[in-house]
Amino acid sequence: MDNRDVPNILHTMPLFSGIAPSELPALLGCLAATQRTYRKGSYLLREGDAATHVGILLSGAAQIEQTDYLGYRSLLAQLTPGDLFAETFACAHVAHIPLSVQATAGCEALWLDYSHVLGSCAKACAFHQRLIDNMLLALSRKNLFLNAKLTVLSRRTTREKLLAYLSAEAKRAGSLTFEIPFNRQELADYLSADRSALSTELSRMQSEGLLTYQKNQFTLAQKPVQ
Amino acid sequence: MDNRDVPNILHTMPLFSGIAPSELPALLGCLAATQRTYRKGSYLLREGDAATHVGILLSGAAQIEQTDYLGYRSLLAQLTPGDLFAETFACAHVAHIPLSVQATAGCEALWLDYSHVLGSCAKACAFHQRLIDNMLLALSRKNLFLNAKLTVLSRRTTREKLLAYLSAEAKRAGSLTFEIPFNRQELADYLSADRSALSTELSRMQSEGLLTYQKNQFTLAQKPVQ
DNA sequence: GGAAGTATGTTGTTTTTCCAACGAAACGAG
DNA sequence: CTCGTTTCGTTGGAAAAACAACATACTTCC
């Protein structure tokens, strides 16, 4: 792949961080990278396809869908340029992709052969190793994110979910006072709860002295002495 | 590390799968592996420790604990011999471990320096690459597991959680009839629901014709014609 | 076989959440 | 400033889940 052909967006992707733009063409060559264009409505991946490649959305938009055994479809994610997809299945040696990726607009995707990602190239290039590091980084970060969300969602009541979420945020901020990146509706969605019930629970907790808040700024009360 | 000193359990660990027992001593040397013994009650890792190493529990038992910002402790996992721990933080380049690992019995652990895991060794050994592959495999498998659980837990009602879980199991089994690996209490725990409410919901769904079950064997009804 | 223990289902009550609807406050555009 | 829009809190009734308590299998172990 010629230097001029390397899409700009790759330079800002976490997957290629630490790799000089000048090295990218050689690396993409190593990886047997191929680029394809898709029309709106066409499929980048179909359920059952072999999980041999890692995809990168370069431009346009696409969405990930899953169909359960009864035929009900659900939307798992919206992809925007720079997003990686299908990487988990390639890494996990899953034979067949259990979901579909459909273009919601005309789009372009770059495909990397996972066996080339993993197998060190004949030239044993240093940036190849960096790529693997970045891949491990991406997977483990996603892991941490999923774990954090799971810790919250495994609580049963809205109050417990809130306390789990807020104390995690306090720990991250290193302070009992902190801001959250969600508005009420987004927080309710994150906690899988109803927005109005969430509002009610929050004001109840405030009246009980568990916490105080204004807009997105929360302050947790100290742990009561036991 | 001498051949005789390689703990047997390593030979059956996914992390070392595909690596011949005869190669293990050299690999462990590459990785600067060190072994330590811990007394019951002592800590293998304390919150705030640097995340530079990956741990493997060789014998005994330990548990992973987390303390939230208010000082409440919660138990995250019980470790048994062969379990990997702290690997996500090392891979994710998290500076400080946000949890503690305490020995619940006398135990032994093997520590691998993550920078050695990643950096290919001077000898560019083939089994080193296999190790990285295994690490990616482990992380992505965990990822798939967390994702599956999250898909279920993000449903709000017990009925929706059940349908999400059961249809995922049906898809995995490739049949509308399948067995689940949980008893009722375990299923309730997995779904973050109450066992008796779960039982009630199951029999209600059966009476509505959504599914049938005996013990752990479930059969989902066909999707109703729309 | 029988006793003890475990797993599952059932029932009625209490608690919590959902839902729909509304009002107040904040915000932005014209 | 005013009008529309969005966000947030509040309310009351409906729905769902939790909870406690008990009944009924099914196991296991002696």
Side-chain angles (χ1 to χ4, degrees), chain A residues 47 67-72 88-89 91-94 98 114 118-120 129 132-133 135-137 139-144 146 149-150 153-154 156 167 170-171 174-176 192-194 221 223-224, chain B residues 47 67-72 88-89 91-94 98 114 118-120 129 132-133 135-137 139-144 146 149-150 153-154 156 167 170-171 174-176 192-194 221 223-224 226:
Chain A
E47 183 172 335
T67 305
D68 70 16
Y69 201 70
L70 295 173
Y72 294 105
T88 309
F89 305 107
C91 294
H93 296 185
V94 171
Y114 182 67
L118 201 75
S120 66
Q129 183 182 320
I132 291 175
D133 188 9
M135 188 69 110
L136 279 159
L137 188 65
L139 276 178
S140 56
R141 287 270 161 92
K142 193 169 188 173
N143 227 303
L144 291 179
L146 293 175
K149 185 157 184 179
L150 214 46
L153 281 191
S154 60
R156 298 205 193 159
S167 58
K171 189 163 185 172
S175 159
L176 286 174
S192 286
D194 176 76
K223 178 181 175 181
Chain B
E47 183 174 333
T67 306
D68 71 17
Y69 200 71
L70 295 172
Y72 293 105
T88 309
F89 305 106
C91 295
H93 297 184
V94 170
Y114 182 66
L118 202 72
S120 67
Q129 182 183 321
I132 291 176
D133 189 10
M135 187 70 107
L136 278 160
L137 189 65
L139 276 178
S140 54
R141 287 269 162 91
K142 194 168 188 174
N143 224 303
L144 291 178
L146 293 176
K149 185 158 183 179
L150 213 46
L153 282 191
S154 59
R156 298 204 189 159
S167 58
K171 189 162 186 175
S175 158
L176 286 173
S192 286
D194 177 74
K223 176 181 177 181
Q226 290 171 347

XYZ file of all heavy atoms in Angstrom, chain A residues 47 67-72 88-89 91-94 98 114 118-120 129 132-133 135-137 139-144 146 149-150 153-154 156 167 170-171 174-176 192-194 221 223-224, chain B residues 47 67-72 88-89 91-94 98 114 118-120 129 132-133 135-137 139-144 146 149-150 153-154 156 167 170-171 174-176 192-194 221 223-224 226:
749
model
N -23.792 -12.787 9.585
C -23.736 -13.850 10.576
C -23.303 -15.139 9.898
O -23.819 -15.496 8.838
C -25.113 -14.025 11.211
C -25.113 -15.064 12.298
C -26.431 -15.105 13.048
O -27.145 -14.097 13.075
O -26.724 -16.169 13.619
N -29.150 -11.353 15.767
C -30.449 -12.002 15.652
C -30.459 -13.189 16.599
O -29.566 -14.026 16.548
C -30.680 -12.504 14.219
O -30.514 -11.406 13.313
C -32.077 -13.054 14.063
N -31.449 -13.238 17.476
C -31.462 -14.368 18.409
C -32.123 -15.570 17.754
O -32.546 -15.517 16.604
C -32.108 -13.999 19.743
C -33.602 -13.798 19.614
O -34.192 -14.230 18.609
O -34.177 -13.193 20.524
N -32.220 -16.641 18.514
C -32.650 -17.905 17.925
C -34.098 -17.869 17.462
O -34.511 -18.672 16.650
C -32.444 -19.052 18.917
C -32.375 -20.381 18.233
C -31.288 -20.719 17.445
C -33.415 -21.303 18.333
C -31.221 -21.923 16.784
C -33.352 -22.517 17.683
C -32.259 -22.820 16.909
O -32.202 -24.012 16.253
N -34.844 -16.939 17.992
C -36.239 -16.851 17.585
C -36.416 -15.888 16.418
O -37.526 -15.692 15.937
C -37.082 -16.396 18.777
C -37.118 -17.400 19.934
C -37.817 -16.805 21.134
C -37.814 -18.681 19.496
N -35.334 -15.279 15.986
C -35.413 -14.397 14.832
C -35.586 -12.930 15.178
O -35.713 -12.099 14.296
N -35.570 -12.610 16.468
C -35.667 -11.211 16.858
C -34.315 -10.521 16.687
O -33.298 -11.014 17.166
C -36.138 -11.081 18.307
C -37.546 -11.571 18.533
C -37.791 -12.780 19.169
C -38.625 -10.823 18.094
C -39.089 -13.238 19.366
C -39.928 -11.267 18.289
C -40.155 -12.474 18.927
O -41.435 -12.909 19.117
N -12.899 -9.010 18.547
C -12.998 -9.969 19.647
C -13.137 -11.396 19.127
O -12.541 -12.320 19.671
C -14.190 -9.629 20.550
O -14.123 -8.251 20.907
C -14.164 -10.468 21.811
N -13.912 -11.559 18.053
C -14.128 -12.906 17.532
C -12.869 -13.465 16.889
O -12.554 -14.647 17.040
C -15.287 -12.896 16.544
C -16.520 -12.320 17.147
C -16.965 -11.064 16.780
C -17.207 -13.006 18.127
C -18.089 -10.509 17.379
C -18.327 -12.475 18.725
C -18.770 -11.215 18.345
N -9.766 -12.660 17.718
C -8.844 -12.974 18.815
C -9.267 -14.225 19.565
O -8.429 -14.983 20.043
C -8.766 -11.820 19.807
S -8.046 -10.314 19.163
N -10.584 -14.423 19.698
C -11.085 -15.530 20.505
C -11.136 -16.836 19.724
O -11.618 -17.837 20.237
C -12.466 -15.194 21.062
N -10.677 -16.786 18.464
C -10.673 -17.979 17.624
C -12.079 -18.542 17.478
O -12.279 -19.759 17.480
C -9.758 -19.068 18.184
C -8.325 -18.676 18.218
N -7.319 -19.543 18.588
C -7.705 -17.510 17.918
C -6.158 -18.912 18.545
N -6.356 -17.685 18.135
N -13.056 -17.653 17.450
C -14.415 -18.081 17.189
C -14.516 -18.327 15.697
O -14.128 -17.471 14.906
C -15.422 -16.997 17.627
C -16.814 -17.330 17.153
C -15.378 -16.818 19.126
N -21.131 -14.319 15.138
C -22.527 -14.507 15.520
C -23.377 -13.263 15.298
O -24.438 -13.149 15.886
C -22.412 -14.841 17.008
C -21.240 -14.060 17.459
C -20.298 -13.981 16.288
N -6.188 -11.399 10.629
C -5.751 -11.559 12.020
C -4.521 -12.453 12.156
O -3.678 -12.220 13.020
C -6.885 -12.105 12.886
C -6.493 -12.247 14.341
C -6.224 -11.122 15.119
C -6.368 -13.496 14.932
C -5.841 -11.237 16.435
C -5.991 -13.623 16.254
C -5.725 -12.494 16.995
O -5.339 -12.612 18.308
N -1.111 -11.426 14.246
C -0.497 -12.191 15.318
C 0.892 -12.687 14.937
O 1.856 -12.444 15.658
C -1.397 -13.377 15.646
C -1.144 -13.936 17.007
C -1.732 -13.019 18.046
C -1.740 -15.311 17.104
N 0.973 -13.406 13.840
C 2.264 -13.943 13.440
C 3.221 -12.792 13.176
O 2.882 -11.863 12.468
N 4.367 -12.836 13.828
C 5.307 -11.748 13.570
C 5.771 -11.898 12.122
O 5.971 -12.996 11.611
C 6.486 -11.816 14.521
O 7.243 -12.970 14.266
N 5.174 -5.404 16.791
C 5.028 -5.722 18.207
C 4.184 -4.664 18.905
O 3.370 -4.971 19.775
C 6.404 -5.806 18.849
C 6.333 -6.206 20.308
C 7.725 -6.234 20.906
O 8.680 -6.678 20.282
N 7.837 -5.723 22.124
N 0.553 -5.366 18.404
C 0.028 -6.401 19.299
C -0.219 -5.829 20.691
O -1.234 -6.100 21.329
C 1.001 -7.594 19.363
C 0.990 -8.318 18.010
C 0.619 -8.556 20.470
C 1.980 -9.439 17.898
N 0.699 -5.011 21.149
C 0.537 -4.346 22.429
C -0.757 -3.528 22.420
O -1.563 -3.589 23.356
C 1.752 -3.444 22.675
C 1.756 -2.876 24.076
O 0.935 -3.309 24.900
O 2.585 -1.992 24.348
N -3.331 -3.957 20.603
C -4.484 -4.849 20.546
C -4.814 -5.380 21.940
O -5.985 -5.407 22.349
C -4.173 -6.016 19.595
C -5.334 -6.901 19.311
S -6.586 -6.080 18.318
C -6.396 -6.951 16.791
N -3.787 -5.793 22.668
C -3.994 -6.235 24.049
C -4.559 -5.099 24.896
O -5.440 -5.303 25.728
C -2.668 -6.717 24.653
C -2.259 -8.140 24.285
C -0.780 -8.342 24.478
C -3.035 -9.132 25.144
N -4.063 -3.923 24.673
C -4.533 -2.756 25.406
C -6.010 -2.524 25.151
O -6.799 -2.339 26.086
C -3.710 -1.539 24.962
C -3.884 -0.233 25.728
C -3.404 -0.404 27.159
C -3.111 0.888 25.054
N -8.311 -4.635 24.072
C -9.134 -5.705 24.630
C -9.259 -5.578 26.146
O -10.341 -5.742 26.698
C -8.525 -7.068 24.293
C -8.854 -7.661 22.943
C -8.138 -8.987 22.773
C -10.360 -7.865 22.799
N -8.153 -5.287 26.805
C -8.204 -5.243 28.262
C -8.950 -4.008 28.749
O -9.651 -4.060 29.759
C -6.800 -5.319 28.854
O -5.992 -4.302 28.333
N -8.838 -2.893 28.021
C -9.605 -1.697 28.396
C -11.097 -1.977 28.283
O -11.886 -1.602 29.149
C -9.231 -0.515 27.485
C -7.859 0.076 27.757
C -7.948 1.192 28.781
N -6.630 1.441 29.367
C -5.761 2.328 28.895
N -6.064 3.048 27.850
N -4.593 2.502 29.491
N -11.462 -2.639 27.209
C -12.863 -2.984 27.012
C -13.328 -3.897 28.144
O -14.429 -3.759 28.670
C -13.029 -3.694 25.672
C -14.458 -3.835 25.206
C -14.473 -4.300 23.766
C -15.861 -4.289 23.153
N -15.790 -4.600 21.699
N -12.436 -4.792 28.509
C -12.682 -5.694 29.623
C -12.972 -4.935 30.910
O -13.913 -5.243 31.640
C -11.432 -6.539 29.827
C -11.759 -7.976 29.987
O -12.527 -8.319 30.875
N -11.204 -8.809 29.128
N -12.154 -3.950 31.201
C -12.336 -3.165 32.421
C -13.662 -2.421 32.377
O -14.380 -2.332 33.371
C -11.187 -2.167 32.596
C -9.829 -2.771 32.922
C -8.782 -1.685 33.033
C -9.902 -3.561 34.216
N -16.379 -3.255 30.655
C -17.484 -4.206 30.808
C -17.621 -4.650 32.255
O -18.716 -4.774 32.786
C -17.262 -5.429 29.903
C -17.322 -5.194 28.409
C -16.975 -6.460 27.643
C -18.702 -4.698 27.988
N -19.293 -1.946 34.348
C -20.729 -1.867 34.096
C -21.453 -3.051 34.727
O -22.530 -2.904 35.291
C -20.988 -1.813 32.593
C -22.440 -1.619 32.257
C -22.650 -1.037 30.895
C -24.137 -0.783 30.656
N -24.399 -0.191 29.349
N -20.811 -4.202 34.646
C -21.406 -5.405 35.206
C -21.533 -5.312 36.722
O -22.519 -5.767 37.307
C -20.544 -6.605 34.826
C -21.231 -7.924 34.576
C -22.453 -7.752 33.702
C -20.256 -8.887 33.947
N -24.639 -3.252 37.209
C -25.901 -3.876 36.769
C -26.253 -5.125 37.556
O -27.387 -5.592 37.490
C -25.822 -4.214 35.278
C -26.042 -3.056 34.323
C -26.213 -3.559 32.911
C -27.259 -2.235 34.726
N -25.297 -5.684 38.271
C -25.631 -6.883 39.025
C -26.311 -6.539 40.352
O -26.692 -7.439 41.090
C -24.390 -7.735 39.266
O -23.441 -7.012 39.988
N -29.586 -5.192 42.398
C -30.975 -5.415 42.045
C -31.813 -4.151 42.035
O -32.640 -3.957 41.165
C -31.607 -6.411 43.019
C -30.926 -7.740 42.953
C -31.849 -8.836 43.395
N -31.091 -10.050 43.617
C -31.515 -11.044 44.365
N -32.680 -10.950 44.967
N -30.772 -12.111 44.503
N -20.196 5.404 43.823
C -18.968 5.217 44.613
C -17.801 4.816 43.716
O -16.649 5.159 44.003
C -19.180 4.232 45.762
O -19.609 3.000 45.284
N -16.647 8.094 42.456
C -15.921 8.808 43.508
C -14.506 8.266 43.610
O -13.538 9.015 43.746
C -16.645 8.672 44.844
N -14.387 6.950 43.521
C -13.065 6.349 43.613
C -12.202 6.786 42.435
O -11.030 7.128 42.601
C -13.195 4.824 43.616
C -11.891 4.121 43.938
C -12.146 2.685 44.345
C -10.864 2.006 44.790
N -11.107 0.672 45.367
N -11.195 10.232 43.002
C -10.364 10.417 44.185
C -10.944 11.445 45.137
O -10.230 12.077 45.900
N -12.260 11.607 45.093
C -12.908 12.611 45.931
C -14.370 12.250 46.105
O -14.978 11.622 45.226
C -12.783 13.984 45.273
O -13.769 14.858 45.789
N -14.959 12.641 47.243
C -16.372 12.367 47.453
C -17.242 13.278 46.597
O -18.429 13.044 46.433
C -16.722 12.536 48.939
C -16.224 11.409 49.856
C -16.475 11.738 51.317
C -16.912 10.094 49.502
N -29.886 0.699 33.356
C -31.067 -0.081 32.991
C -32.205 0.178 33.962
O -32.757 -0.731 34.571
C -30.759 -1.584 32.966
O -30.000 -1.899 31.829
N -32.545 1.431 34.108
C -33.639 1.797 35.000
C -34.484 2.876 34.320
O -34.112 3.404 33.275
C -33.097 2.311 36.334
N -35.600 3.180 34.928
C -36.486 4.198 34.386
C -36.032 5.580 34.861
O -35.653 5.762 36.016
C -37.909 3.898 34.874
C -38.885 4.951 34.431
O -39.247 4.939 33.249
O -39.254 5.811 35.257
N -22.102 11.249 50.956
C -21.907 11.441 52.389
C -20.854 10.448 52.871
O -20.627 9.407 52.260
C -23.215 11.235 53.125
N -19.222 7.555 55.031
C -19.762 6.295 55.535
C -20.187 6.491 56.991
O -19.427 7.039 57.791
C -18.636 5.244 55.470
C -18.985 3.868 55.989
C -17.747 2.986 55.876
C -17.937 1.616 56.481
N -16.710 0.804 56.372
N -21.397 6.107 57.344
C -21.826 6.273 58.735
C -20.977 5.443 59.679
O -20.548 4.340 59.343
C -23.268 5.772 58.710
C -23.353 4.889 57.503
C -22.398 5.464 56.517
N -4.146 -3.126 47.099
C -4.612 -2.005 46.305
C -3.528 -0.929 46.234
O -2.927 -0.584 47.241
C -5.878 -1.431 46.950
C -6.470 -0.310 46.140
C -7.806 0.159 46.691
O -8.503 -0.637 47.332
O -8.145 1.328 46.463
N -12.428 -2.516 47.547
C -12.948 -1.593 48.542
C -13.396 -0.336 47.822
O -12.622 0.252 47.073
C -11.856 -1.227 49.569
O -11.332 -2.433 50.111
C -12.426 -0.370 50.686
N -14.645 0.060 48.038
C -15.105 1.260 47.341
C -14.692 2.503 48.122
O -14.071 2.428 49.178
C -16.605 1.208 47.057
C -17.441 1.357 48.318
O -16.905 1.805 49.345
O -18.623 1.017 48.259
N -15.086 3.661 47.581
C -14.575 4.902 48.148
C -15.098 5.156 49.552
O -14.543 5.927 50.302
C -14.938 6.078 47.234
C -14.076 7.271 47.473
C -12.743 7.267 47.093
C -14.575 8.403 48.111
C -11.931 8.346 47.320
C -13.767 9.499 48.334
C -12.450 9.459 47.944
O -11.643 10.544 48.183
N -16.159 4.486 49.922
C -16.698 4.680 51.259
C -16.136 3.649 52.234
O -16.464 3.653 53.396
C -18.229 4.578 51.224
C -18.908 5.683 50.412
C -20.391 5.405 50.265
C -18.681 7.025 51.093
N -15.297 2.764 51.742
C -14.673 1.795 52.623
C -15.395 0.463 52.698
O -15.002 -0.420 53.452
N -16.466 0.311 51.912
C -17.154 -0.966 51.916
C -16.394 -1.968 51.045
O -16.050 -1.679 49.913
C -18.576 -0.805 51.388
C -19.456 0.016 52.286
C -19.794 1.321 51.957
C -19.945 -0.506 53.475
C -20.607 2.087 52.785
C -20.752 0.253 54.311
C -21.077 1.538 53.957
O -21.884 2.288 54.785
N -5.554 -8.320 33.527
C -6.222 -7.239 32.796
C -5.554 -5.890 33.061
O -5.401 -5.078 32.159
C -7.704 -7.167 33.191
O -8.278 -8.464 33.078
C -8.452 -6.222 32.281
N -5.145 -5.679 34.302
C -4.545 -4.385 34.643
C -3.183 -4.224 34.006
O -2.818 -3.148 33.536
C -4.473 -4.231 36.152
C -5.808 -4.415 36.806
C -6.091 -5.574 37.511
C -6.796 -3.467 36.655
C -7.341 -5.767 38.070
C -8.047 -3.650 37.204
C -8.320 -4.802 37.921
N -2.188 -5.664 31.195
C -2.405 -5.443 29.760
C -2.924 -4.053 29.477
O -2.613 -3.464 28.442
C -3.397 -6.449 29.198
S -2.838 -8.141 29.239
N -3.763 -3.532 30.377
C -4.409 -2.244 30.127
C -3.518 -1.069 30.506
O -3.953 0.074 30.438
C -5.728 -2.166 30.888
N -2.313 -1.361 30.933
C -1.365 -0.306 31.335
C -1.949 0.551 32.447
O -1.761 1.765 32.465
C -0.986 0.581 30.156
C -0.265 -0.155 29.058
N 0.227 0.473 27.954
C 0.044 -1.444 28.903
C 0.795 -0.402 27.148
N 0.692 -1.591 27.723
N -2.697 -0.088 33.322
C -3.205 0.625 34.485
C -2.045 0.715 35.474
O -1.406 -0.309 35.765
C -4.395 -0.132 35.116
C -4.764 0.463 36.447
C -5.586 -0.114 34.171
N -6.491 -1.628 41.379
C -7.575 -1.073 42.195
C -8.220 -2.094 43.122
O -9.312 -1.854 43.601
C -8.570 -0.592 41.141
C -8.411 -1.570 40.040
C -6.968 -2.020 40.048
N 5.088 -8.559 33.012
C 4.311 -8.347 31.791
C 5.149 -7.757 30.656
O 4.926 -8.081 29.490
C 3.106 -7.438 32.061
C 2.253 -7.235 30.834
C 1.550 -8.291 30.266
C 2.164 -5.984 30.222
C 0.780 -8.118 29.132
C 1.392 -5.803 29.082
C 0.708 -6.874 28.543
O -0.041 -6.692 27.414
N 5.278 -9.328 26.833
C 5.010 -8.598 25.610
C 6.230 -8.506 24.713
O 6.194 -8.868 23.537
C 4.535 -7.196 25.970
C 3.745 -6.565 24.864
C 2.390 -7.213 24.752
C 3.648 -5.084 25.092
N 7.303 -7.980 25.283
C 8.513 -7.812 24.487
C 8.992 -9.174 24.028
O 9.117 -10.095 24.832
N 9.198 -9.332 22.742
C 9.690 -10.627 22.288
C 11.116 -10.781 22.809
O 11.886 -9.831 22.856
C 9.658 -10.701 20.768
O 10.590 -9.791 20.235
N 5.599 -16.357 21.085
C 4.494 -15.848 20.276
C 3.201 -16.586 20.594
O 2.135 -15.988 20.665
C 4.843 -15.999 18.803
C 3.778 -15.442 17.893
C 4.142 -15.673 16.444
O 5.311 -15.560 16.058
N 3.156 -16.030 15.651
N 1.631 -15.083 23.638
C 0.883 -13.855 23.361
C -0.467 -14.188 22.745
O -1.497 -13.607 23.104
C 1.709 -12.933 22.441
C 2.915 -12.404 23.213
C 0.852 -11.784 21.929
C 3.851 -11.574 22.402
N -0.472 -15.135 21.855
C -1.722 -15.593 21.260
C -2.674 -16.075 22.352
O -3.855 -15.710 22.384
C -1.417 -16.722 20.260
C -2.637 -17.102 19.446
O -3.648 -16.375 19.513
O -2.573 -18.119 18.736
N -2.687 -15.249 25.438
C -3.115 -14.116 26.255
C -4.250 -13.362 25.568
O -5.249 -13.011 26.201
C -1.919 -13.188 26.465
C -2.184 -12.068 27.433
S -2.334 -12.661 29.136
C -0.797 -12.085 29.797
N -4.113 -13.132 24.286
C -5.186 -12.489 23.515
C -6.447 -13.344 23.550
O -7.555 -12.842 23.693
C -4.746 -12.279 22.066
C -3.887 -11.042 21.808
C -3.112 -11.164 20.514
C -4.772 -9.802 21.778
N -6.250 -14.634 23.441
C -7.374 -15.559 23.493
C -8.104 -15.451 24.820
O -9.331 -15.336 24.871
C -6.855 -16.983 23.280
C -7.863 -18.096 23.089
C -8.640 -17.893 21.808
C -7.166 -19.445 23.063
N -8.116 -12.994 27.030
C -8.778 -11.698 27.193
C -10.045 -11.615 26.350
O -11.083 -11.132 26.815
C -7.836 -10.565 26.780
C -6.852 -10.070 27.819
C -5.971 -8.985 27.219
C -7.584 -9.528 29.032
N -9.980 -12.093 25.122
C -11.147 -11.939 24.248
C -12.261 -12.902 24.655
O -13.435 -12.558 24.569
C -10.764 -12.150 22.790
O -10.113 -13.379 22.625
N -11.895 -14.071 25.156
C -12.921 -14.985 25.658
C -13.653 -14.373 26.845
O -14.863 -14.452 26.957
C -12.282 -16.311 26.084
C -11.840 -17.167 24.931
C -12.939 -18.122 24.489
N -12.687 -18.632 23.148
C -12.023 -19.747 22.867
N -11.567 -20.495 23.844
N -11.833 -20.115 21.630
N -12.877 -13.783 27.739
C -13.477 -13.125 28.892
C -14.403 -12.011 28.427
O -15.489 -11.810 28.957
C -12.371 -12.547 29.784
C -12.825 -12.132 31.165
C -11.620 -11.853 32.038
C -11.979 -11.608 33.483
N -10.741 -11.486 34.314
N -13.945 -11.323 27.424
C -14.726 -10.264 26.816
C -16.068 -10.773 26.309
O -17.115 -10.165 26.553
C -13.932 -9.723 25.626
C -13.940 -8.234 25.580
O -15.010 -7.650 25.530
N -12.775 -7.639 25.622
N -16.047 -11.878 25.614
C -17.286 -12.451 25.092
C -18.206 -12.856 26.226
O -19.416 -12.641 26.174
C -16.981 -13.667 24.210
C -16.278 -13.377 22.885
C -15.998 -14.666 22.145
C -17.124 -12.440 22.040
N -18.281 -11.589 29.309
C -18.818 -10.395 29.951
C -19.905 -9.768 29.098
O -20.933 -9.326 29.595
C -17.703 -9.374 30.199
C -16.646 -9.759 31.220
C -15.551 -8.702 31.284
C -17.257 -9.938 32.600
N -23.133 -11.730 29.404
C -23.808 -11.488 30.671
C -24.438 -10.102 30.694
O -25.535 -9.905 31.208
C -22.807 -11.649 31.819
C -23.466 -11.531 33.176
C -22.667 -12.188 34.262
C -23.402 -12.095 35.594
N -22.693 -12.736 36.692
N -23.733 -9.150 30.121
C -24.232 -7.785 30.092
C -25.490 -7.672 29.254
O -26.417 -6.937 29.590
C -23.137 -6.879 29.521
C -23.048 -5.454 30.048
C -23.132 -5.421 31.554
C -21.763 -4.823 29.567
N -28.180 -8.874 31.583
C -28.444 -8.027 32.749
C -28.964 -6.646 32.391
O -29.471 -5.945 33.256
C -27.179 -7.882 33.593
C -26.844 -9.061 34.492
C -25.752 -8.695 35.463
C -28.073 -9.513 35.257
N -28.832 -6.264 31.132
C -29.331 -4.931 30.793
C -30.832 -4.954 30.518
O -31.413 -3.915 30.248
C -28.574 -4.363 29.598
O -28.725 -5.199 28.492
N -34.652 -5.280 31.920
C -35.158 -4.778 33.199
C -35.948 -5.793 33.993
O -35.807 -5.882 35.197
C -36.043 -3.561 32.939
C -35.274 -2.453 32.300
C -35.929 -1.132 32.573
N -35.311 -0.098 31.778
C -35.877 1.052 31.479
N -37.079 1.308 31.954
N -35.247 1.941 30.771
N -32.658 -17.553 25.031
C -32.510 -17.579 23.569
C -31.035 -17.561 23.184
O -30.660 -18.131 22.150
C -33.293 -16.448 22.909
O -32.887 -15.201 23.383
N -30.143 -21.144 23.470
C -30.698 -21.886 22.328
C -29.809 -21.681 21.110
O -29.505 -22.625 20.378
C -32.117 -21.420 22.044
N -29.358 -20.457 20.916
C -28.514 -20.169 19.762
C -27.202 -20.929 19.879
O -26.717 -21.514 18.912
C -28.255 -18.669 19.682
C -27.568 -18.253 18.404
C -27.730 -16.771 18.170
C -27.163 -16.374 16.819
N -27.409 -14.962 16.488
N -27.858 -24.408 19.184
C -28.313 -24.651 17.823
C -29.621 -25.414 17.787
O -29.926 -26.104 16.834
N -30.403 -25.268 18.859
C -31.669 -25.991 18.938
C -32.579 -25.282 19.926
O -32.113 -24.637 20.866
C -31.416 -27.417 19.408
O -32.592 -27.966 19.972
N -33.879 -25.412 19.706
C -34.825 -24.798 20.639
C -34.884 -25.570 21.950
O -35.404 -25.085 22.932
C -36.214 -24.717 19.997
C -36.365 -23.640 18.918
C -37.715 -23.746 18.226
C -36.210 -22.247 19.525
N -29.252 -11.898 38.517
C -29.487 -10.897 39.567
C -30.972 -10.789 39.865
O -31.551 -9.709 39.799
C -28.931 -9.528 39.173
O -27.532 -9.513 39.267
N -31.559 -11.912 40.192
C -32.981 -11.911 40.518
C -33.213 -12.818 41.717
O -32.320 -13.531 42.158
C -33.800 -12.400 39.325
N -34.417 -12.793 42.219
C -34.777 -13.617 43.364
C -35.195 -15.005 42.887
O -35.906 -15.136 41.888
C -35.941 -12.949 44.102
C -36.428 -13.773 45.258
O -35.719 -13.807 46.280
O -37.492 -14.417 45.129
N -40.642 -21.986 22.723
C -41.677 -22.061 21.694
C -41.219 -21.282 20.468
O -40.377 -20.393 20.557
C -42.982 -21.482 22.229
N -41.275 -18.623 17.509
C -41.699 -17.223 17.468
C -43.113 -17.166 16.904
O -43.408 -17.777 15.883
C -40.747 -16.482 16.534
C -41.058 -15.042 16.287
C -40.017 -14.486 15.308
C -40.296 -13.049 14.936
N -39.297 -12.538 13.978
N -44.012 -16.455 17.561
C -45.388 -16.377 17.066
C -45.422 -15.672 15.713
O -44.665 -14.741 15.464
C -46.100 -15.552 18.132
C -45.022 -14.806 18.842
C -43.824 -15.693 18.784
N -46.457 -13.156 12.965
C -46.877 -11.763 13.197
C -47.882 -11.290 12.159
O -47.723 -11.564 11.010
C -45.650 -10.857 13.176
C -44.795 -11.111 14.404
C -43.457 -10.399 14.329
O -43.072 -9.922 13.284
N -42.741 -10.354 15.428
